[in-house]
Amino acid sequence: MSTKHTIAAEKFLQNSEKVTRHDQTFWSVRVKRDAQSQELPEWEELREAASQIKKHTITHLAEYLEKFEKNATKNGAIVHWAKDADEYNEIVMDILHKHQVKKVVKSKSMLTEECHLNDHLIKHGIDVVETDLGERILQMMHLAPSHIVMPAIHITREQVGRCFEDYKISPEVGNYDPTYLTRCARYHLRDNFMTADCGMTGGNFGIAETGDIVVCTNEGNADMSTSIPKLHIVSMGLEKLIPDYKAMGVFHRLLARCGTGQSTTVYTSHFRGPRPGGEMHIILVDNGRSKILGNEEHWQTLKCMRCGACMNTCPVYRRTGGYSYTYFIPGPIGINLGMLKDPDENYHNLPACSLCCSCDNVCPAKVDLSSQIYRWRQGLDGMGHADPMKKFMSKGMQVLFESPGLYTTALKFAPIANHLPKFITEIKLNGWAQGREMPVFAKQSFHELWKKGKVKA
Amino acid sequence: MKIGLFIPCYVDALYPQVGVATYKLLKSLGLDVDYPEKQTCCGQPMGNAGFQNMADELVENYDKLFKDFDYVVAPSASCAAYVKLFHPNIVNHECKAAQKTMDVVEFLHDVLQIKSLPSKFPHKVSIHNSCHGVRELHLSSPSELNIPRFSKIKDLLQLVEGITILEPERVDECCGFGGMFSIEEPAVSVRMGTDKLNRHLATGAEYITGPDSSCLMHMQAIAKHQNYPIQFIHVVEILAAGL
């Protein structure tokens, strides 16, 4: 009864101290999020408003997309449409070729991860430099993000220091002081900002009413990326659209509070059109999103604004780390998005949920995360991915529970299990016995006590 | 008021004393309580594993057995929540019995609104706020939400003489039982349970108590394995103590 997640999780859990650190780091973000939410009396109304706005926008998506395109074009931006990752990567390459770009500086974008843009650009000889510090560290270490908002938080400062030494960014060998290392990163990134020919950003929000793109960062790297090169390319999933600035007010109040426990991100940058003498391209990417829209049971995933709050609260994510999941987005939202992307590869993540439902309560857009995971599990048998042991056990329970007679007989004989030797009850198949004693059957069940008139007031 | 007693399968087999305490308590409050013998399970173990379709007959049977009672009361928040929230979807029709099903804490607090109890329990207890009790039945205010704080469990326990009520840090974090989860992800499950146990222990409590014997069973199994000096007791056993 194991999947890729359960195996990877078991391995991750062998290092108890690392698990404690990982758990406490993300729990502290949850605590900060709680404190922020408690400061706004209208918090729950905000969440409901965000949920309704997202629902409204994605159910009127065609209308808002056209409006956005019209207004962005009026502002002087060039809007592109990409139906999938391949088309998206080609559009980016075309723009870069046309401008003879040799180096791209990028601010953080999960969409480019989703489409494997960096690999594509590097293959075509483009120098790609991530400028979000966490992303840059991971890029240098050739690692994937383990969280969507704090991608490199699982890396220690010693590891960062050694990596910087390897890349000749840190001249003082053995100096792992965070302030020092941050300064090294700053000099290194400045050089890259100065020499890049193109800046790429994601988009946290696209505002249909004005054609604006809103990008939220804590490091100002999106602003640096777009302030020096004359060419700016925005990559944005279709679902990032919101109707107007009134809606923006709702989301702006929620995003950072939920994501990192800050009242606002340090930088909230509004891009409206190209810089003088430059070009601004906006690529709107579908890549399966319109298909999700038609999925009655899972369309709500499109309400997600990628704040990461569901990961921070998830007791399983906190104790198993981002790399235990097969999809590049981990945690509750990642389990669901992974299933929508490729169920054959990502059904492995479905056990990674105790159905505690905490994610449902922290989600600023009220995505029904745990219910969706429950529903995916119901579909596993039909996909041919049901665990044979679980199916066998469920079938056994069905037979037992459908027949009260058989059930009462079983109850009568159950206490015998108490006297079985440990080597039988703790065979490897029995996951329960790993770190737990077997529960003890009562000598007489409630059923039996009742029948014998022993249950008395 | 006619009350149907639902004693879920694992309470039946492992913790009959919880069923007995529930019966005694309800009777002591002057209620007409019956226990339909042909009951078995709520179906959650199958649904949880991805086979809720195998539970359809069982759901119909539950509805037939309990539909004529005024209330169906179960000493297990998770099972009561499963009946209430999932049964109608499994069989695709309204379920009368499901609408009337309540966890015993909910029933005592909301329906009977009891204000006094004759029970005594001179011990320190740490409340285990189980996930489905908190987030599906709202026995207490979920820590994630910005709503006025409440705890129906605390309200009831406060009626017991001599009791000291404590709560762990991370007041409603999951203990890692999760039904099938506990054997499918055993490493994570045991780690979650150990973390939870340590937070309960840190309160200085002698007992861990909660509305779900399933969570208690999981933590008890770990405590026994590691020889932790703590005992486990269902909320209703405390409320009925001395009857």
Side-chain angles (χ1 to χ4, degrees):
Chain A
M1 214 194 269
S2 54
T3 69
K4 286 182 184 170
H5 182 273
T6 64
I7 294 165
E10 194 177 350
K11 211 170 145 205
F12 187 85
L13 277 149
Q14 279 165 5
N15 187 340
S16 178
E17 273 168 43
K18 188 167 142 196
V19 174
T20 303
R21 196 174 61 232
H22 198 270
D23 168 59
Q24 279 172 351
T25 304
F26 287 103
W27 180 261
S28 73
V29 184
R30 158 77 207 273
V31 171
K32 280 197 233 164
R33 172 242 169 242
D34 288 356
Q36 286 288 346
S37 73
Q38 294 294 334
E39 274 180 31
L40 301 185
E42 67 275 35
W43 183 256
E44 300 304 331
E45 286 164 62
L46 272 177
R47 288 178 66 226
E48 182 57 29
S51 169
Q52 294 298 333
I53 294 166
K54 280 280 182 183
K55 183 177 173 185
H56 167 81
T57 317
I58 55 186
T59 50
H60 297 75
L61 198 55
E63 193 183 304
Y64 283 113
L65 282 167
E66 279 174 15
K67 201 169 172 184
F68 176 82
E69 183 187 31
K70 203 181 97 203
N71 288 323
T73 309
K74 210 161 48 185
N75 296 337
I78 301 158
V79 179
H80 307 259
W81 302 83
K83 71 169 192 299
D84 55 26
D86 288 343
E87 209 172 278
Y88 163 72
N89 289 338
E90 272 167 37
I91 292 170
V92 176
M93 265 322 296
D94 279 353
I95 301 169
L96 297 182
H97 269 150
K98 215 175 286 170
H99 289 262
Q100 295 171 332
V101 170
K102 291 192 186 65
K103 184 191 276 190
V104 174
V105 278
K106 275 182 73 210
S107 78
K108 201 166 158 310
S109 155
M110 293 314 284
L111 180 64
T112 61
E113 291 278 346
E114 178 185 320
C115 297
H116 304 289
L117 175 75
N118 288 12
D119 294 343
H120 187 78
L121 297 187
I122 291 162
K123 206 169 71 195
H124 286 81
I126 308 274
D127 186 8
V128 187
V129 179
E130 292 287 349
T131 63
D132 172 271
L133 182 52
E135 288 284 350
R136 181 63 184 146
I137 292 165
L138 294 175
Q139 190 186 21
M140 292 194 290
M141 291 181 154
H142 304 289
L143 290 173
S146 79
H147 186 282
I148 61 171
V149 175
M150 292 157 277
I153 208 151
H154 60 298
I155 311 280
T156 63
R157 61 198 168 99
E158 288 79 11
Q159 287 172 295
V160 173
R162 282 193 289 272
C163 168
F164 281 10
E165 286 162 16
D166 292 346
Y167 277 81
K168 312 279 182 234
I169 296 170
S170 164
E172 294 177 27
V173 175
N175 189 345
Y176 305 138
D177 174 65
T179 310
Y180 163 75
L181 291 173
T182 312
R183 196 170 297 137
C184 294
R186 182 184 285 251
Y187 288 133
H188 164 69
L189 287 171
R190 293 248 155 176
D191 289 345
N192 283 298
F193 287 129
M194 297 304 289
T195 52
D197 318 296
C198 171
M200 288 191 72
T201 67
N204 291 90
F205 305 98
I207 301 175
E209 185 190 42
T210 57
D212 291 8
I213 296 289
V214 180
V215 180
C216 305
T217 74
N218 272 335
E219 298 166 21
N221 55 314
D223 308 83
M224 293 296 285
S225 300
T226 51
S227 296
I228 297 158
K230 295 263 181 183
L231 178 60
H232 177 193
I233 303 175
V234 180
S235 312
M236 192 170 74
L238 298 183
E239 85 286 13
K240 294 288 175 135
L241 232 53
I242 55 172
D244 48 30
Y245 264 90
K246 225 168 117 188
M248 184 62 218
V250 172
F251 290 106
H252 188 250
R253 300 186 77 197
L254 286 165
L255 182 65
R257 286 186 168 91
C258 287
T260 51
Q262 298 164 280
S263 51
T264 175
T265 38
V266 179
Y267 299 88
T268 302
S269 311
H270 301 243
F271 295 99
R272 183 181 291 174
R275 296 170 53 212
E279 274 183 26
M280 178 179 177
H281 294 259
I282 302 170
I283 312 174
L284 295 163
V285 185
D286 185 331
N287 204 28
R289 286 161 176 76
S290 51
K291 213 174 121 203
I292 298 174
L293 188 51
N295 187 326
E296 214 177 302
E297 292 194 336
H298 299 285
W299 67 270
Q300 287 207 41
T301 50
L302 290 174
K303 296 197 298 187
C304 171
M305 58 177 105
R306 303 291 189 273
C307 71
C310 61
M311 287 157 217
N312 304 339
T313 202
C314 177
V316 180
Y317 172 80
R318 276 187 272 110
R319 289 173 180 83
T320 60
Y323 298 152
S324 299
Y325 299 77
T326 58
Y327 195 52
F328 79 106
I329 300 179
I333 187 66
I335 295 175
N336 286 305
L337 290 173
M339 284 303 287
L340 287 162
K341 178 61 79 186
D342 181 358
D344 292 332
E345 177 55 24
N346 297 314
Y347 78 92
H348 291 279
N349 305 322
L350 284 178
C353 170
S354 64
L355 291 172
C356 81
C357 310
S358 181
C359 50
D360 301 340
N361 282 350
V362 295
C363 178
K366 293 192 169 181
V367 178
D368 55 345
L369 294 155
S370 67
S371 307
Q372 290 199 36
I373 294 173
Y374 178 88
R375 287 198 289 271
W376 282 120
R377 288 182 182 172
Q378 307 312 315
L380 274 179
D381 200 25
M383 291 176 198
H385 291 311
D387 181 89
M389 183 55 117
K390 279 204 292 191
K391 191 172 178 176
F392 174 75
M393 285 167 70
S394 298
K395 195 81 207 158
M397 287 189 273
Q398 182 184 16
V399 173
L400 188 67
F401 296 145
E402 272 178 9
S403 159
L406 185 64
Y407 171 75
T408 352
T409 315
L411 277 179
K412 209 173 279 171
F413 290 107
I416 293 173
N418 295 341
H419 307 294
L420 292 174
K422 265 200 175 186
F423 73 89
I424 293 180
T425 56
E426 295 189 357
I427 43 175
K428 186 95 180 92
L429 274 175
N430 183 358
W432 183 268
Q434 301 175 26
R436 285 171 289 217
E437 295 298 310
M438 294 307 291
V440 179
F441 286 100
K443 281 197 187 96
Q444 286 185 311
S445 66
F446 184 85
H447 243 103
E448 227 175 321
L449 292 172
W450 180 270
K451 243 195 175 121
K452 291 181 179 161
K454 289 185 185 169
V455 181
K456 287 181 200 140
Chain B
M1 206 190 295
K2 262 182 73 185
I3 309 298
L5 194 58
F6 172 44
I7 304 297
C9 57
Y10 77 99
V11 178
D12 190 3
L14 301 168
Y15 305 103
Q17 72 277 15
V18 173
V20 174
T22 311
Y23 180 79
K24 276 189 177 173
L25 187 60
L26 295 177
K27 286 296 276 185
S28 78
L29 294 163
L31 298 169
D32 176 9
V33 187
D34 195 17
Y35 172 75
E37 282 187 42
K38 288 190 171 162
Q39 58 179 285
T40 57
C41 166
C42 69
Q44 182 166 210
M46 293 112 109
N48 214 318
F51 295 96
Q52 70 168 27
N53 56 336
M54 291 186 187
D56 55 349
E57 241 184 80
L58 174 165
V59 171
E60 298 288 9
N61 183 42
Y62 182 95
D63 200 40
K64 229 177 283 162
L65 276 178
F66 286 110
K67 68 180 185 331
D68 295 326
F69 289 100
D70 294 316
Y71 289 98
V72 186
V73 177
S76 179
S78 189
C79 306
Y82 195 77
V83 169
K84 215 169 176 170
L85 305 174
F86 289 78
H87 274 197
N89 291 332
I90 294 172
V91 289
N92 283 318
H93 62 73
E94 236 181 40
C95 300
K96 272 197 172 152
Q99 288 166 5
K100 297 186 233 178
T101 299
M102 291 183 110
D103 172 70
V104 64
V105 170
E106 222 182 351
F107 180 71
L108 295 170
H109 189 278
D110 297 354
V111 179
L112 299 184
Q113 303 185 15
I114 55 169
K115 296 281 178 269
S116 68
L117 276 172
S119 35
K120 281 183 199 153
F121 196 74
H123 298 284
K124 285 190 207 166
V125 304
S126 181
I127 299 181
H128 183 71
N129 294 295
S130 55
C131 296
H132 295 167
V134 176
R135 298 184 191 89
E136 290 187 340
L137 295 183
H138 297 280
L139 299 184
S140 61
S141 44
S143 61
E144 302 92 359
L145 300 182
N146 184 355
I147 56 172
R149 300 287 123 193
F150 64 88
S151 168
K152 297 177 184 178
I153 301 173
K154 240 190 233 180
D155 288 351
L156 292 178
L157 286 177
Q158 264 155 5
L159 304 176
V160 177
E161 197 187 315
I163 196 165
T164 308
I165 304 165
L166 305 158
E167 273 183 322
E169 189 220 335
R170 301 194 189 185
V171 70
D172 52 15
E173 191 188 17
C174 180
C175 71
F177 173 60
M180 206 57 100
F181 173 81
S182 64
I183 45 175
E184 196 166 23
E185 292 263 16
V188 197
S189 170
V190 169
R191 172 70 194 224
M192 284 164 71
T194 309
D195 289 350
K196 190 79 205 182
L197 259 173
N198 283 323
R199 293 200 166 86
H200 277 299
L201 281 170
T203 63
E206 306 157 64
Y207 288 87
I208 299 177
T209 189
D212 268 300
S213 293
S214 52
C215 310
L216 300 182
M217 167 179 78
H218 169 62
M219 287 185 289
Q220 189 173 25
I222 297 170
K224 227 164 131 185
H225 194 77
Q226 305 187 2
N227 288 319
Y228 282 159
I230 190 131
Q231 302 176 71
F232 296 82
I233 190 167
H234 191 283
V235 169
V236 83
E237 290 179 87
I238 300 180
L239 300 179
L243 288 180

